[in-house]
């Protein structure tokens, strides 16, 4: 992907270069060594040059960088070579088309290294330049979590459990990046590979002992984790999402499965409660520990689940009879699954089982702030903000918030994202009609699509399910989203539950290329306060 193709990511990579993503000290790698790794002859003038950084965004170039000029949909990264050189780039890697373009323009003030597929070289070169995972093993233990739902919470749980074990962990994910300093807000679930390797080197430089990372299917498809070796890779589940990118569930699965190969991970922990997890176990060519929340046929399975406050306590039982006692303060069966996966992933990295149990007993690692993930804003009415934005996640969230109290209703506000998998829109509408008492269909992020058309597709699914199945749910269309949130609160009594789903931690809503300030948590708090309801101060679950 060229800079043009990555236009949406430019802010992320630019900010990365200015926000401390890179290690402070990088020993220069001779350009001749880089040429050797690429399997090409060193160009003239390269022997006295050393490289101390790498980027594919000319606006993020720092002195000493290698600039990766990649082809894109309508522009080539070679167009930006002058800016990159002015900013301090000491060499360029590009393809034949980029090299020809530079030759014709006369823009060759630095050595140009030509490879057939420069995109494939980015990750390995970043690993080489930043020495992110050196052969001496002096780097953080790395946990990677993939799947459709649960990635964010599981990485937070891993991070919290590692702290309970007395370690200094880092975090790379959808919400924020933590590398031993102040958290940095994320713009991508998984950053570009140049930033990933720089972050791992920064964590090593700062003495961090471990890190957990979300690994999205986009990250694998777009090669953002190339050159990264995970000590433990974890799998949550696979449900319909991102078919706009992958085309089919089979292709979506095969992309995820690439993480569970010897080229990318040393050990795997796979949840086998869906067909995709079981299929993954068969395909993986690395040691696999299986985990189940439904049956005892896996290596570890969840048992003896009981309510504990808002959350649950449960046991993890091994097939050989060993038992771990675990609890989480976050509601929902899916958070039991997330806590179970986090526990077994940390165990699989070599932590002593007794030491792990002592940390679970002495601390409360799975009652941790996960912004926008089942985030409790008030208790009367129960008001929750969650990131659920696909059919499975929405169903799980609605089931989790249903109160056993007689007469209590569930009021849900949600929409669907524009320019994404359209087939899930009526499905999500139908799920809401079945599982909620009041369904308020509003806007998510329309992007460049017509917001009313998106709402119509969601409403069609909700109304069709209600009529065909003779459901009693009330279905309302309300926009803009802040008005829909206020409507939900106006309709609620203290015994009801309000779920604001789809956007979670996000603070901007994109409409026709314009980012509008909108935080569901802020709007929900304001609406609750305006009606005289109390807002929760339980910081264990709030961000």
């Amino acid at each position: 992907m060229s800079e043009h193709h990555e236009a949406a990511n430019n802010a992320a990579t630019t900010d990365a270069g200015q926000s401390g993503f890179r290690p402070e000290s990088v020993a220069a790698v001779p350009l001749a060594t880089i040429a050797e790794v690429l399997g090409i002859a060193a160009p003239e003038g390269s022997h006295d040059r050393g490289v101390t950084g790498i980027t594919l965004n000319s606006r993020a170039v720092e002195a000493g960088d290698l600039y990766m000029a990649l082809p894109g949909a309508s522009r080539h990264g070679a167009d930006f070579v002058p800016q990159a050189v002015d900013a301090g780039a000491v060499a360029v890697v590009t393809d034949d088309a980029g090299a020809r373009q530079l030759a014709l323009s006369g823009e060759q003030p630095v050595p140009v290294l030509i490879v057939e597929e420069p995109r494939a070289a980015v990750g390995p070169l970043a690993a080489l330049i930043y020495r992110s995972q050196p052969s001496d093993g002096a780097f953080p233990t790395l946990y990677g979590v993939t799947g459709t739902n649960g990635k964010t919470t599981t990485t937070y749980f891993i991070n919290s459990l590692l702290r309970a074990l007395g370690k200094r962990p880092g975090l790379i994910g959808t919400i924020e990046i933590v590398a031993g300093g102040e958290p940095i807000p994320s713009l991508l679930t998984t950053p570009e590979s140049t930033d990933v390797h720089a972050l791992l080197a920064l964590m090593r430089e700062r003495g961090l002992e471990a890190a957990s990372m979300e690994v999205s299917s986009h990250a694998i498809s777009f090669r953002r984790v190339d050159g990264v070796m995970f000590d433990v890779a974890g799998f949550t589940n696979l449900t319909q999402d991102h078919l706009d990118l992958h085309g089919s569930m089979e292709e979506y699965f095969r992309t995820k499965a690439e993480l569970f190969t010897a080229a990318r991970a040393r050990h795997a922990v796979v949840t086998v409660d869906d067909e995709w997890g079981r299929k993954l176990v068969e395909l993986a060519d690395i040691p696999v520990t299986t985990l189940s929340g439904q049956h005892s046929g896996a290596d570890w399975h969840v048992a003896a689940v009981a309510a504990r406050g808002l959350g649950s306590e449960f046991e993890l039982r091994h097939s050989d009879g060993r038992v771990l006692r675990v609890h989480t303060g976050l509601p929902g069966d899916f958070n039991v699954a997330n806590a179970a996966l986090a526990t077994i992933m940390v165990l699989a990295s070599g932590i002593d089982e007794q030491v792990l149990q002592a940390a679970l007993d002495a601390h409360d690692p799975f009652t941790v702030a996960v912004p926008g993930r089942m985030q409790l804003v008030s208790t009367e009415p129960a008001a929750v903000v969650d990131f659920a934005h696909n059919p499975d996640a929405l169903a799980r969230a609605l089931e989790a918030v249903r109160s056993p109290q007689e007469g209590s209703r569930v009021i849900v506000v949600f929409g669907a994202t524009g320019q994404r998998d359209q087939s899930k829109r009526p499905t999500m509408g139908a799920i809401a009609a079945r599982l909620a008492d009041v369904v308020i269909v509003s806007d998510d992020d329309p992007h460049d699509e017509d917001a009313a058309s998106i709402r119509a597709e969601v409403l069609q699914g909700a109304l069709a399910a209600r009529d065909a199945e003779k459901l009693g749910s009330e279905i309302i269309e309300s926009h803009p989203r802040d008005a829909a949130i206020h409507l939900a609160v106006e309709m609620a009594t203290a015994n009801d539950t309000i779920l604001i789903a789809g956007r979670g931690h996000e603070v901007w809503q994109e409409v026709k290329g314009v980012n509008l300030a909108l935080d569901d948590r802020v709007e929900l708090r304001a609406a609750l306060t305006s009606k005289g309801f109390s807002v929760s101060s339980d910081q264990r679950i709030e961000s």
Side-chain angles (χ1 to χ4, degrees):
M1 292 173 290
S2 73
E3 293 197 34
H4 181 77
H5 190 69
E6 287 277 80
N9 303 346
N10 279 343
T13 48
T14 302
D15 290 345
Q18 298 171 350
S19 302
F21 276 25
R22 301 188 186 202
E24 292 184 11
S25 176
V26 178
V29 177
L31 193 56
T33 299
I34 290 172
E36 183 180 351
V37 168
L38 293 173
I40 62 176
E44 184 178 346
S46 64
H47 293 282
D48 61 344
R49 293 178 183 254
V51 174
T52 55
I54 179 172
T55 184
L56 46 73
N57 183 354
S58 63
R59 290 183 288 181
V61 168
E62 298 182 12
D65 274 3
L66 179 67
Y67 173 58
M68 305 296 297
L70 308 184
S74 59
R75 297 287 299 275
H76 198 289
D79 291 341
F80 306 95
V81 166
Q83 295 96 309
V85 172
D86 287 345
V90 296
V92 173
V93 172
T94 192
D95 59 4
D96 286 332
R100 288 196 300 272
Q101 184 174 325
L102 291 172
L104 289 172
S105 67
E107 297 288 352
Q108 285 185 279
V110 296
V112 177
L113 289 72
I114 306 168
V115 294
E116 184 175 347
E117 192 178 356
R119 171 74 259 190
V122 177
L125 287 180
L128 170 70
I129 292 165
Y130 291 120
R131 297 170 179 83
S132 53
Q133 294 177 306
S135 58
D136 63 9
F139 53 86
T141 301
L142 187 58
Y143 303 85
V145 182
T146 198
T148 304
N149 300 315
K151 295 187 297 295
T152 299
T153 299
T154 302
T155 55
Y156 269 76
F157 280 179
I158 291 171
N159 188 276
S160 183
L161 179 53
L162 291 168
R163 289 198 305 272
L165 287 162
K167 298 184 180 296
R168 295 186 64 214
L171 178 72
I172 302 174
T174 300
I175 298 173
E176 62 186 357
I177 292 168
V178 180
E182 287 295 316
I184 303 166
S186 293
L187 296 181
L188 296 171
T189 300
T190 311
E192 178 53 63
S193 59
T194 50
D195 293 330
V196 169
H197 288 283
L199 280 164
L200 293 176
L202 177 62
M203 290 178 187
R204 177 167 56 86
E205 184 177 74
R206 291 179 173 176
L208 273 63
E209 300 162 88
S212 54
M213 182 191 305
E214 293 181 54
V215 184
S216 66
S217 61
H218 287 70
I220 298 170
S221 293
F222 298 152
R223 314 191 79 142
R224 294 179 193 150
V225 290
D226 279 13
V228 176
M229 176 58 69
F230 293 91
D231 293 283
V232 183
F235 176 81
T236 60
N237 50 62
L238 201 74
T239 61
Q240 183 181 342
D241 207 359
H242 304 306
L243 298 190
D244 52 307
L245 171 66
H246 300 293
S248 69
M249 287 296 294
E250 184 65 32
E251 182 57 32
Y252 182 29
F253 166 74
R254 291 197 174 278
T255 301
K256 294 284 192 184
E258 289 182 31
L259 183 63
F260 298 85
T261 61
R264 295 187 185 272
R266 296 186 174 91
H267 194 105
V269 178
V270 177
T271 307
V272 292
D273 290 334
D274 62 31
E275 60 174 311
W276 302 109
R278 295 186 288 274
K279 188 173 181 178
L280 181 58
V281 174
E282 296 174 3
L283 288 180
D285 63 359
I286 55 177
V288 177
T289 298
T290 56
L291 169 66
S292 175
Q294 300 174 355
H295 56 81
S296 58
D299 295 323
W300 290 91
H301 72 276
V302 174
V305 180
R308 177 169 171 171
L310 289 171
S312 306
E313 60 183 16
F314 60 96
E315 291 180 351
L316 282 168
R317 296 177 182 171
H318 194 273
S319 56
D320 65 9
R322 287 177 287 156
V323 175
L324 287 166
R325 300 176 306 280
V326 188
H327 63 275
T328 173
L330 273 64
D333 291 344
F334 49 88
N335 278 318
V336 170
N338 294 334
L341 180 58
T343 301
I344 303 306
M345 285 182 68
V346 172
L347 184 67
S349 69
I351 298 296
D352 179 81
E353 195 169 314
Q354 292 183 339
V355 172
L356 182 62
Q357 184 65 70
L360 291 168
D361 291 341
H363 301 278
D364 196 10
F366 302 142
T367 303
V368 61
V370 186
R373 269 61 175 178
M374 296 307 288
Q375 184 170 340
L376 190 67
V377 176
S378 75
T379 56
E380 291 184 350
V384 176
V385 173
D386 191 65
F387 192 53
H389 62 284
N390 57 54
D392 181 68
L394 182 61
R396 288 173 179 241
L398 285 166
E399 290 167 348
V401 301
R402 171 67 70 179
S403 169
Q405 184 175 350
E406 186 176 352
S408 174
R409 299 177 303 163
V410 172
I411 303 170
V412 63
V413 176
F414 78 107
T417 309
Q419 297 179 288
R420 300 293 187 271
D421 179 11
Q422 294 184 16
S423 66
K424 68 184 181 184
R425 295 172 185 174
T427 303
M428 292 174 66
I431 287 169
R434 294 185 187 111
L435 297 178
D437 301 288
V438 180
V439 177
I440 302 177
V441 176
S442 191
D443 300 327
D444 196 300
D445 284 291
H447 298 300
D448 289 331
E449 266 196 82
D450 177 61
S453 298
I454 299 172
R455 295 194 303 272
E457 291 183 58
V458 178
L459 284 163
Q460 181 272 324
L463 293 168
R466 185 191 66 180
D467 295 344
E469 301 170 33
K470 295 181 171 55
L471 304 171
S473 49
E474 181 178 359
I475 298 169
I476 302 168
E477 180 180 11
S478 178
H479 62 94
R481 191 175 176 97
D482 56 348
I485 292 171
H486 282 257
L487 174 61
V489 173
E490 281 298 319
M491 297 181 71
T493 70
N495 293 330
D496 291 334
T497 297
I498 302 167
L499 174 65
I500 313 298
R503 303 185 67 253
H505 66 285
E506 295 174 354
V507 297
W508 301 99
Q509 182 184 49
E510 186 185 342
V511 181
K512 301 293 185 182
V514 178
N515 283 333
L516 306 177
L518 180 65
D519 186 326
D520 287 353
R521 298 162 297 182
V522 171
E523 292 299 333
L524 185 55
R525 287 188 182 101
L528 289 162
T529 302
S530 176
K531 194 176 176 183
F533 291 128
S534 297
V535 174
S536 175
S537 60
D538 186 351
Q539 296 302 314
R540 296 173 306 160
I541 299 177
E542 282 202 83
S543 63

